[in-house]
Structures are given as C-alpha cells and as structure tokens.
Amino acid sequence: MSHSAPLIHTPDGTIAAITKALGSNLVSIEEANGEVAVHIHRDTLVECMIKLRDECAYQQLMEMAGVDWPDRDPRFEVVYCLLSLTKNHRIRVHLATNEDHPVPSVTGIWPVAGWLEREVFDMYGVLFSGNSDLRRILTDYGFSGHPQRKDFPLSGYVELRYSEEEKRVKYEPVQLAQDFRNFDFLSPWEGADYVLPGDEKTGEVPAAPTGADKSASKEAVKRTARKPKATGDKA
C-alpha cells in the first residue's frame, strides 16, 4: 500500500539552475530527503533572493526561522523558505550570522518579511538592517533576553506581578520559592512510602520505612502533608 503523503519531487535541473543563477554568491547547495538547501553569504542575501525569484521562479517567501548554535561562530542561522507556484516546489535558503552583524532585510522584495524578521529578532536577537519597524512581536514590552536561544533559562530572567501598593504591573528578577526546588519523581501509582496530600484525612498511615529511607520519608511527609488551617478544610 502506498503512503498517503504526496511524493516530494525536485524538478529536473533545479540544482543546476540555482547554482548557475547564484554563481560565486553560493556557498553550497545540497538535496536531502527530497528538500533542497541553499547556503549563501550573508551580505549577498538581497541579490540572491532577487535572482531566485526572477530567474529560478521561486516567487513567494512562505516562512522564516532562526537556529541557534551556541558553540559555533557565527552562532545563528537564518532560514528562508521559498515557494515556486509554477513548479510547485519549495527550497530553503540558509545564511550564518551573529548578533553583531545585521542581516539585510528582504522587505523590499517581500513586504511580508517585515513580520517574519521581527519574530526572528524577538526570539533570537538577530538584527535586520533596512527593516523600518524592527521591534518585538511575540514577547511583552520590557521583556529581557531572547527566549529561543539555547542558553535562555526556562524560568526567564524576570517575572511580572501586579503591585497593589503601586497599582501597576512590575517586573522583578525571578525568585523561585524553596517548595519549587524540591522535586520528587516517585509515582503515586506505584505506591509511595509517604503521606500524599489529602491522605492525612483518612487516618491511615503507610508502613514505616526502614533504614536510610526513614529520615527521607519524614522529610517528604513534612513537605507534602497539608495542615487544615492552611487549606481551609475542616479538621
């Protein structure tokens, strides 16, 4: 039985045509898994995109994406996904850069790139020269850092809360309560040797652990058992 997904086929002569059109601006080109990846120099982006649109018939910019390689220099990669309506074929255009070297904007070729470049800037911190409205698009005003970088902490750098005293939203450094630093990975479905939240109401106490587990069990009970006055439940 054949696969339900459509067969991806690169039109004959595609790689040769792209190689000829880009000339010395081409770093490398390869085809893998039915997809063509074109690597170019950063400073020749606009020239290459015009040739891909006019000479190779890739008329539409469908998407842009960023990639972070923290151990590589240059660190970032910007990927452009182009579509040919006449060939019914897609290619990817790759270039390398870092946060100190802006990438030329392609908004003069495809106006939709304005939104896409803002997203890459917001998530990775990549700058685009020639974009007249380069500002954050997904994160909030005053956001610190770029969330898609590999070294960005999962908790973020700052957190926000509403201050009743000042009657406004405030940004403050992230402070994790100690309760969130104690992680217990035992599954209650496999049977825990300590009191789970809510079980203290039944009056049934699990069998006392032995040996070195005794002190750990007491500490777990202390962390997990809730007092009635703290939850609002009646004793």
Side-chain angles (χ1 to χ4, degrees), residues 184 193-194 209 211-223:
D184 192 340
D193 58 355
Y194 53 85
D213 296 333
K214 189 172 183 180
S215 58
S217 178
K218 289 182 179 180
E219 179 62 24
V221 171
K222 185 185 299 182
R223 295 200 312 265

Side-chain angles (χ1 to χ4, degrees), residues 21 52 81 102 113 120 128 141 166 177 183 200 210 214:
L52 289 173
C81 300
V120 175
F128 292 89
Y141 298 105
E166 302 181 28
F183 299 99
E200 72 276 3
T210 59
K214 189 172 183 180

Side-chain angles (χ1 to χ4, degrees), residues 150-213:
K150 298 281 181 64
D151 55 3
F152 187 82
L154 295 180
S155 59
Y157 292 109
V158 296
E159 59 185 357
L160 60 88
R161 69 177 181 86
Y162 182 78
S163 173
E164 284 290 349
E165 296 79 11
E166 302 181 28
K167 302 298 182 182
R168 68 180 182 90
V169 175
K170 294 183 61 176
Y171 285 89
E172 298 174 337
V174 173
Q175 295 181 354
L176 293 179
Q178 187 64 29
D179 292 347
F180 292 100
R181 298 179 186 272
N182 295 326
F183 299 99
D184 192 340
F185 297 102
L186 294 178
S187 171
W189 296 101
E190 298 173 359
D193 58 355
Y194 53 85
V195 179
L196 294 172
D199 286 352
E200 72 276 3
K201 302 175 185 178
T202 64
E204 298 179 1
V205 180
T210 59
D213 296 333

Side-chain angles (χ1 to χ4, degrees), residues 91-131:
I91 62 173
R92 301 192 318 271
V93 179
H94 299 245
L95 62 85
T97 187
N98 53 41
E99 57 187 344
D100 297 326
H101 294 84
V103 176
S105 174
V106 293
T107 52
I109 307 174
W110 297 289
V112 69
W115 294 81
L116 304 177
E117 290 172 354
R118 285 176 59 185
E119 182 176 348
V120 175
F121 162 70
D122 193 0
M123 295 292 102
Y124 295 91
V126 175
L127 299 174
F128 292 89
S129 60
N131 188 317

Side-chain angles (χ1 to χ4, degrees), residues 15 26-32 35-39 92 94:
I15 294 180
L26 182 66
V27 175
S28 65
I29 182 171
E30 63 269 354
E31 181 178 6
E35 298 182 0
V36 176
V38 181
H39 296 262
R92 301 192 318 271
H94 299 245

Side-chain angles (χ1 to χ4, degrees), residues 41-73:
H41 297 286
R42 179 187 63 245
D43 297 335
T44 64
L45 172 64
V46 174
E47 178 184 351
C48 290
M49 288 302 196
I50 292 176
K51 289 183 177 180
L52 289 173
R53 182 194 64 181
D54 298 342
E55 299 181 21
C56 300
Y58 288 93
Q59 301 95 346
Q60 291 190 355
L61 172 65
M62 303 303 297
E63 183 60 275
M64 282 180 59
V67 186
D68 183 18
W69 304 93
D71 299 328
R72 194 184 73 176
D73 186 27

